[in-house]
Amino acid sequence: MRRGAVRSVVMAGLLVLLGGLGSGVGTARAGAWPGPGPEAGAEAGAEVEAGPEVEADVAYHGRVALAGGRLRILLVPENEGPSALVNATVRLRLSADLADRQELAEGCARAGLREVVCETGELPLHGRGRHIGLVMRLKEPASEVVVRVDTWWNGGAADRNHANNEHVVLALDTGDTYAF
C-alpha cells in the first residue's frame, strides 16, 4: 500500500472517530476504526467479511530499543485463529513526542504526536503477517520511553485474548533490547 493511501485511510478513520462522518464506527472497543475493508486484496475463496461471527486471536511479538533519541521497534504480528484475517492495523503509542519528520516503513503512518499505526498485511490462520521494522526519532532525547502496542483495527473480528496483543514496554536509553 502506498504511503499516501495509508495516510488517507488513517485520516478518514480519525475523522470518523472524531464524529465527523457519522455512525460508521463499530463500538466493540475504544479506538476501533473503519480501516480498509476486508475485501481489499482478498482472493477468491478467502475470508472476505469479518463480522461478529468471525473470531481471530491477533498477537504481537517483538523488540524495542532506545539509544540516543532513536527508538527501534521490530514487530511481528501473528494470528492464532480460529479465522484468517485479510488485514489488521497495529497501533504504537509512545510516552514521548516523535520528531516532526519521520521515515516510516511502508504501510505505516503517523496518527498523532506520539502515535504510529501500521498495517499487518494478511494474517493467515495460525500464521504471521509482515515483519514491521521502525526506527523513529524522538523530538527531544529521553532517558526512557514507554511503548504501548495494541490492535487499532481488525475488520470487526472478535478477539477474546487481549493478553497477547496489548503490551506495555519500558525502554531505557541504554541501547538494550526489550522483548515483548
Side-chain angles (χ1 to χ4, degrees), residues 56-147:
D57 185 9
V58 177
Y60 303 111
H61 304 285
R63 299 184 301 258
V64 175
L66 176 64
R70 291 191 184 270
L71 183 66
R72 302 174 82 82
I73 299 175
L74 174 64
L75 182 93
V76 180
E78 297 180 7
N79 179 10
E80 298 175 6
S83 299
L85 294 176
V86 174
N87 202 354
T89 305
V90 61
R91 174 174 57 177
L92 305 165
R93 293 179 289 160
L94 312 178
S95 62
D97 289 350
L98 290 166
D100 293 335
R101 298 180 59 104
Q102 298 288 327
E103 291 290 327
L104 297 175
E106 184 176 336
C108 295
R110 294 270 303 255
L113 293 174
R114 298 177 172 191
E115 200 167 324
V116 172
V117 293
C118 297
E119 66 176 351
T120 63
E122 182 179 350
L123 291 171
L125 178 62
H126 302 296
R128 293 181 172 178
R130 67 182 188 90
H131 289 61
I132 300 167
L134 298 166
V135 178
M136 298 180 288
R137 292 179 300 112
L138 300 179
K139 190 167 199 138
E140 298 176 7
S143 60
E144 64 184 36
V145 172
V146 175
V147 179

Side-chain angles (χ1 to χ4, degrees), residues 28-45:
R29 62 187 291 266
W33 74 293
E39 51 283 341
E43 297 175 9

